[in-house]
Amino acid sequence: MIAETLRAECERAITQLMQRHNWQLLDKSAFVTRLLARAQEHDPVSNTVAHEPLTSLAVNEYCLVWHQACRQPGPQQARAYQEIARYLYDRALHKYGDPDLAHDIAQDALLLIYEQIDNCRNPGAFLAFALLKLWNAATTYFRKRNRTL
């Protein structure tokens, strides 16, 4: 019964993430299987997550997939960068409120990610790495803009 409840919770968390972010690198059943295995690693006796919420584990698991896909040329790589681009654009748009600026900064961040992906020391934290590159791109943009004023 506990395993069924945990599976249902995993499915719910993954469904929300996949719909919210339009993640498509993993099909839902494979994602659920991976998340369930991760959740059970934390507390195999009770089949419950001991410390981390399922959503955090799911994002961490998807980061592993993103990192791997971004490093291998092909359709998965293109899809991975599309997903990251959308996420970064949304974050930049929320922060700066300017669609053109958000687009430019997100594109610059994607280039930094592509160039520096081998510097990502923790693939499970790939999203944090990508957000750092977004911050780096924004910092560079505003420094250049301020020099020309």
Side-chain angles (χ1 to χ4, degrees), residues 96 105 108-109 112 133-143:
Y96 303 112
I105 291 173
D108 290 347
L112 291 173
K133 298 308 159 195
L134 181 67
W135 181 80
N136 292 152
T139 300
T140 299
Y141 171 84
F142 287 114
R143 282 183 180 158

Side-chain angles (χ1 to χ4, degrees), residues 29 34 69 92 134:
S29 67
R34 289 175 73 141
L134 181 67

Side-chain angles (χ1 to χ4, degrees), residues 5-56:
T5 302
L6 183 56
R7 177 174 282 283
E9 290 175 16
C10 288
E11 287 177 1
R12 190 172 20 262
I14 287 169
T15 298
Q16 289 173 349
L17 286 169
M18 291 180 84
Q19 288 175 350
R20 182 176 183 197
H21 300 293
N22 194 25
W23 288 348
Q24 298 176 12
L25 290 174
L26 283 175
D27 69 32
K28 185 177 175 181
S29 67
F31 201 174
V32 168
T33 300
R34 289 175 73 141
L35 180 57
L36 188 57
R38 285 285 299 278
Q40 290 172 335
E41 279 177 14
H42 285 271
D43 190 355
V45 174
S46 66
N47 284 337
T48 60
V49 179
H51 301 290
E52 290 186 69
L54 286 174
T55 301
S56 295

Side-chain angles (χ1 to χ4, degrees), residues 54-66:
L54 286 174
T55 301
S56 295
L57 287 174
V59 170
N60 178 264
E61 194 64 32
Y62 203 76
C63 282
L64 295 170
V65 172
W66 255 342

Side-chain angles (χ1 to χ4, degrees), residues 34 38 56-71 84 117-130:
R34 289 175 73 141
R38 285 285 299 278
S56 295
L57 287 174
V59 170
N60 178 264
E61 194 64 32
Y62 203 76
C63 282
L64 295 170
V65 172
W66 255 342
H67 183 264
Q68 181 179 6
C70 285
R71 296 183 69 186
I84 293 167
I117 195 163
D118 290 335
N119 296 338
C120 179
R121 294 181 184 176
N122 182 355
F126 185 62
L127 186 54
F129 175 81

